[in-house]
């Protein structure tokens, strides 16, 4: 059941606190066709009868968490954009939301009405764009280079053994390249045709969110997978909102899980390369400007190089 052309986007708000839903009604009823549920079970029943374009859910609710709801909602209503309101940090829940729920944005509670309104508007526009594509194929012809090689995998990690470890896991199906710092990573991206980046959250004690976010902004067909062993929920949320990371892998790496994740990420790269209209579905927040007088992050000097990287789709400079 699709929305007729010109109809208002349909947005479902889920929260166990009636006063929150009252606030959402006041904020959004003039702009959207709005629906409300006071918990996950009620939301899922509604979704069985009424597909929506955007789902905005609180995380901490009795009976079913927001992540559990959004995971189930993805099966019922796969094109809907999913936004999670969260007032606490829980790394395991965040990892689950990335790997199973594919959250478009985290919005911290208490939220800014302006930020929430902008986030919902972006999500509604992305849902509309993805509907125009319909069911995009899982594989896309024409994304291999002229020599028949598939785009490679770039591993960005302080550990010099990690690229060979991942190459051994993936086998001959993939070309794996390594980088131990951001300068080496951009060099590799300039020299090789890369479709998937696997990165630690920090490299040489620098957060990678600026690099991942800039890459996603200028080359949205690039798919990022994050390695993590640190329980840093704040960093994970930044990587989702500002980098639209595709999956999180926890260390120590499990071989089978790693292969499944990289295969899925490669298919996602192909899908995005073949269907540029889907890029809007994975748009990133604008990276914050450095505070006055503060030193810019190390990735700033790479910005122009990233913008001018050759296209991974066509292989042309």
């Amino acid at each position: 059941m699709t929305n007729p052309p010109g109809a208002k986007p349909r947005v479902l708000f889920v929260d166990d606190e009636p006063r929150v839903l009252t606030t959402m009604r006041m904020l959004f009823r003039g702009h959207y066709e709005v629906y409300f549920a006071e918990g996950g079970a009620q939301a899922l029943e509604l979704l069985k009868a009424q597909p929506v374009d955007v789902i905005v859910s609180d995380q901490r609710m009795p009976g079913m968490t927001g992540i559990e709801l959004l995971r189930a909602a993805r099966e019922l209503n796969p094109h809907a954009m999913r936004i999670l309101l969260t007032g606490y940090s829980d790394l395991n829940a965040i990892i689950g939301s990335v790997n199973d729920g594919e959250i478009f944005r985290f919005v911290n509670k208490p939220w800014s009405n302006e930020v929430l309104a902008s986030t919902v508007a972006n999500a509604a526009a992305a849902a509309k764009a993805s509907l125009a594509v319909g069911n995009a194929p899982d594989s896309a012809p024409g994304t291999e280079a002229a020599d028949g090689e598939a785009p490679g995998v770039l591993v960005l990690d302080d550990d010099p053994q990690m690229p060979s470890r991942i190459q051994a896991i993936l086998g001959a199906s993939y070309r794996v390249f390594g980088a131990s710092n951001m300068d080496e990573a951009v060099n590799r991206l300039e020299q090789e045709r890369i479709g998937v980046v696997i990165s630690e959250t920090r490299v040489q004690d620098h957060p990678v969110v600026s690099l991942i976010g800039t890459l996603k902004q200028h080359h949205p067909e690039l798919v990022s997978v994050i390695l993590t062993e640190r329980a840093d929920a704040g960093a994970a949320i930044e990587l989702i909102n500002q980098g639209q990371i595709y999956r999180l892998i926890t260390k120590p790496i499990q071989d089978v899980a790693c292969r499944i994740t990289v295969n899925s990420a490669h298919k996602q790269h192909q899908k995005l390369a073949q269907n540029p209209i889907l890029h809007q579905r994975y748009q990133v927040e604008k990276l914050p400007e450095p505070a006055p007088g503060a030193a810019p992050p190390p990735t700033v000097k790479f910005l122009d190089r990233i913008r001018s990287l050759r296209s991974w789709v066509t292989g042309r400079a």
Side-chain angles (χ1 to χ4, degrees), residues 37 72 103 125-126 171 224 229 314 317:
I103 306 299
S224 298
E229 59 184 353
T314 64

Side-chain angles (χ1 to χ4, degrees), residues 212-253:
I212 297 297
T214 302
L215 284 170
K216 194 66 176 175
Q217 180 181 356
H218 295 286
H219 297 277
E221 70 276 10
L222 187 70
V223 176
S224 298
V225 175
I226 294 297
L227 294 171
T228 182
E229 59 184 353
R230 302 179 179 92
D232 187 346
I237 288 174
E238 283 187 342
L239 285 160
I240 294 163
N241 287 353
Q242 298 175 19
Q244 276 295 294
I245 57 174
Y246 182 65
R247 293 288 187 270
L248 279 164
I249 299 177
T250 54
K251 291 182 176 180
I253 296 175

